[in-house]
Amino acid sequence: MLFEQISSAPFFILGPCVMEDQELLYTVADKVATIGQKFNVPVIFKSSFDKANRTSIHSYRGPGIKKGMEMLNNVKERFGLPCTTDIHEPGQAAIAAQVVDILQIPAFLCRQTDLLVAAAQTGKIVNVKKAQFLSGQDMFYPAQKVVEAGNKQVILTERGNMYGYNNLAVDFRNIYDMKQFGYPVCMDCTHSVQRPGGAGGKTGGDRTFVPMMAMAAKAFGADGYFMETHPDPDNALSDGPNMVKLHELENVIAPLLNK
């Protein structure tokens, strides 16, 4: 089972921020599958069908849940990869669960009880991202909501905390704190380098720091690593400044697997 693999080995959640088109998903999934086979580690393909929390109303959001699930299913069928996507409303949980293996709860929504319960009740793995305003210790309660809704397959993900306006800082002690609950803990290495809303109507950031975020998380005992990646991130439709260039992805991952 996927959750058992995640619980016993380093795992990687990888993919483009938003579903721009099917060809992009195929291009990135091909690289993700190759990395998984080369390093013999669990890899999960990630992309969003809807970026519901974009800074500007004019920003591209994605193809929507119906088309998005078709696109992810095509990836699964072609490459045999487990997949994940984020959901924003309770009604999306059952629809997405028909395709994905992991339901991702966005950081801003990690306290939304109905969303957590709906995700839990699908029986899929639930990856809860830590809110930018919570500590690692606070994440006991979102996880508890999932478990008490009947689902013990929980991942907790660190992604930084607000540090003044338009900036994030990572307190890596949160990884250690969240591991005390007994769930796999993942480091979101790309969203943690964001500058939320800090680029004139969109989110900025600096991908330079992604490899360092990953290595620091390894030192604090992270079980998995979340990285968004794109063949041409400077022209991506969402989160470009933070995404790893696809041709550099393998070089970022390899040091994390050195004993």
Side-chain angles (χ1 to χ4, degrees):
M1 289 180 60
L2 180 60
F3 191 69
E4 292 173 351
Q5 293 176 335
I6 288 172
S7 300
S8 61
F11 65 93
F12 294 85
I13 300 175
L14 308 167
C17 178
V18 69
M19 301 175 191
E20 298 178 14
D21 55 53
Q22 187 72 68
E23 195 57 39
L24 170 68
L25 300 193
Y26 285 158
T27 297
V28 177
D30 184 52
K31 184 64 173 178
V32 170
T34 299
I35 287 173
Q37 293 166 3
K38 178 174 181 176
F39 294 116
N40 192 29
V41 291
V43 291
I44 298 97
F45 183 82
K46 180 269 171 187
S47 198
S48 298
F49 63 83
D50 181 18
K51 303 299 295 183
N53 59 349
R54 294 301 303 272
T55 303
S56 170
I57 196 169
H58 302 294
S59 297
Y60 175 74
R61 289 181 54 168
I65 191 167
K66 181 178 179 180
K67 181 63 176 176
M69 291 306 99
E70 291 176 5
M71 294 166 71
L72 274 187
N73 194 56
N74 289 339
V75 167
K76 291 190 72 169
E77 290 183 349
R78 178 174 290 201
F79 298 98
L81 289 170
C83 292
T84 184
T85 196
D86 40 337
I87 57 172
H88 300 85
E89 303 170 4
Q92 295 175 341
I95 299 171
Q98 295 176 30
V99 174
V100 303
D101 305 272
I102 301 174
L103 290 170
Q104 178 180 294
I105 306 300
F108 288 130
L109 302 179
C110 75
R111 289 168 55 100
Q112 296 298 106
T113 301
D114 290 347
L115 183 63
L116 290 164
V117 170
Q121 290 176 342
T122 67
K124 299 293 183 175
I125 300 167
V126 182
N127 179 18
V128 188
K129 288 196 168 185
K130 182 182 72 63
Q132 298 89 330
F133 48 84
L134 293 181
S135 72
Q137 294 174 339
D138 294 330
M139 288 301 290
F140 172 80
Y141 301 100
Q144 185 183 42
K145 291 178 182 180
V146 176
V147 172
E148 294 201 9
N151 189 339
K152 296 182 180 180
Q153 298 182 107
V154 178
I155 301 169
L156 298 177
T157 294
E158 166 63 30
R159 53 99 70 238
N161 285 81
M162 291 305 299
Y163 186 72
Y165 296 117
N166 306 125
N167 205 357
L168 295 173
V170 177
D171 180 351
F172 288 95
R173 294 174 297 181
N174 287 328
I175 294 173
Y176 177 86
D177 288 342
M178 289 191 289
K179 283 178 67 72
Q180 305 314 300
F181 307 142
Y183 311 115
V185 174
C186 183
M187 178 67 198
D188 186 336
C189 306
T190 47
H191 287 101
S192 61
V193 302
Q194 282 182 331
R195 293 185 180 272
K202 57 185 179 181
T203 289
D206 189 347
R207 71 178 69 93
T208 303
F209 297 105
V210 170
M212 291 168 257
M213 289 289 184
M215 290 300 291
K218 178 182 178 182
F220 276 84
D223 302 293
Y225 305 88
F226 177 110
M227 300 182 197
E228 291 185 334
T229 183
H230 193 285
D232 184 16
D234 291 332
N235 290 299
L237 298 182
S238 176
D239 253 357
N242 314 298
M243 285 195 281
V244 176
K245 294 179 180 179
L246 187 61
H247 73 273
E248 297 177 354
L249 182 62
E250 186 173 321
N251 290 334
V252 176
I253 287 174
L256 300 171
L257 299 173
N258 291 336
K259 302 299 183 182

